[in-house]
Amino acid sequence: MKLVGKLVSLFRIEAGLTQAQLATSVGVQVETIASIEQGRRALLPDLAHRLDELLDTKGALATAVENLPEVDLIPAWAEQYMDLEREALALSWWENAVLPGLLQTEAYARAVFRNRVPALSAAEIENRVATRVKRHEILNRDTPPTLSFVIAEAIIRDRLDGDAVYFATLQHLRTCADLPGVSLQVMPLGRTSHAGLGGPFIVLETPDFQRIGYTETQRGSRIVPEPNEVAILVQKYGMLRTQALNTDETRGLLESLLGER
């Protein structure tokens, strides 16, 4: 990524353009160009093609992006994803095993990290909880992103760390369901069709109006920049939303579970 960024910088300077001028010419934020040139942000294929055309670089950037080594597509500890999450205009999140990080209470997050195998130290647990809770600032921005969540019903029936955490989590979800720009849907148990069997994923829309996918596995995470792969995730998410309970039905389910106290 650093090498690709240096190439962008070199080609831009050779063309006699500032970062701001280049950003305006290809319709992105100047911060995007700066981050790419510094190697902190991946150059996506669509933007690479536009830059090649504008800078007359004969496909050099697109070729570099297509041949990035896998290590640059799977960022350690998901730092790149969190950068994208902070800037996203919209986010669509399917989760089948644990609440999305943006919807977790502090107590729920602590219970999640306590269940890690191998076990984490007490200090590491608290550090991770603090990092996760800080991400919640996204929900309360003056201009929050559009957030859509589809979560498996099993998630809201698990009682991680006992009844107190369970009911506090349900109440938190009920509150989140009424936040501006937030859509929360539950995929109920017993469905005869299910578009999300391949596992959890996220689709983000960047400030440049590009869509990027993100997936996690047991031992790593992966940014999905390829437009054709992102399109598949978008199709899956659209189908999931039709198969899940709608937002009013989801509120009703949460209130029903809260009434069991």
Side-chain angles (χ1 to χ4, degrees), residues 110-128:
R110 186 171 289 109
V112 169
F113 290 125
R114 282 177 179 165
N115 278 277
R116 287 290 181 93
V117 178
L120 300 172
S121 69
E124 181 63 19
I125 289 173
E126 293 309 312
N127 286 337
R128 296 198 185 192

Side-chain angles (χ1 to χ4, degrees), residues 102-153:
L102 294 180
L103 299 179
Q104 294 181 11
T105 65
E106 181 176 334
Y108 183 96
R110 186 171 289 109
V112 169
F113 290 125
R114 282 177 179 165
N115 278 277
R116 287 290 181 93
V117 178
L120 300 172
S121 69
E124 181 63 19
I125 289 173
E126 293 309 312
N127 286 337
R128 296 198 185 192
V129 169
T131 299
R132 181 152 297 178
V133 171
K134 184 173 176 57
R135 289 165 58 195
H136 297 174
E137 296 171 357
I138 294 170
L139 298 171
N140 300 305
R141 289 194 327 218
D142 291 338
T143 53
T146 300
L147 301 172
S148 174
F149 303 95
V150 179
I151 61 175
E153 183 177 346

Side-chain angles (χ1 to χ4, degrees), residues 81-231:
Y81 166 75
M82 287 188 282
D83 286 341
L84 293 168
E85 183 182 81
R86 278 191 293 269
E87 300 176 355
L89 299 178
L91 183 151
S92 301
W93 193 324
W94 155 243
E95 189 62 70
N96 64 352
V98 66
L99 276 178
L102 294 180
L103 299 179
Q104 294 181 11
T105 65
E106 181 176 334
Y108 183 96
R110 186 171 289 109
V112 169
F113 290 125
R114 282 177 179 165
N115 278 277
R116 287 290 181 93
V117 178
L120 300 172
S121 69
E124 181 63 19
I125 289 173
E126 293 309 312
N127 286 337
R128 296 198 185 192
V129 169
T131 299
R132 181 152 297 178
V133 171
K134 184 173 176 57
R135 289 165 58 195
H136 297 174
E137 296 171 357
I138 294 170
L139 298 171
N140 300 305
R141 289 194 327 218
D142 291 338
T143 53
T146 300
L147 301 172
S148 174
F149 303 95
V150 179
I151 61 175
E153 183 177 346
I155 294 173
I156 62 171
R157 291 190 177 275
D158 283 341
R159 299 190 176 222
L160 293 181
D161 232 17
D163 285 353
V165 172
Y166 171 69
F167 285 111
T169 298
L170 290 179
Q171 185 60 62
H172 177 67
L173 290 175
R174 181 63 187 84
T175 300
C176 288
D178 287 336
L179 290 175
V182 173
S183 169
L184 177 60
Q185 295 177 254
V186 169
M187 174 66 81
L189 299 170
R191 278 287 192 250
T192 58
S193 58
H194 197 309
L197 297 178
F201 63 86
I202 302 167
V203 177
L204 306 98
E205 183 176 346
T206 73
D208 312 326
F209 307 106
Q210 298 185 70
R211 284 176 167 171
I212 301 173
Y214 177 77
T215 61
E216 287 189 338
T217 66
Q218 285 283 334
R219 299 295 297 152
S221 59
R222 179 175 183 263
I223 298 292
V224 183
E226 303 88 356
N228 58 322
E229 294 296 325
V230 176

Side-chain angles (χ1 to χ4, degrees), residues 4 43-45 48-49 52 59-69 73 226:
V4 171
L43 176 60
L44 300 180
H49 284 290
D52 277 332
L61 294 175
T63 300
V65 168
E66 289 170 4
N67 289 278
L68 275 173
L73 296 177
E226 303 88 356

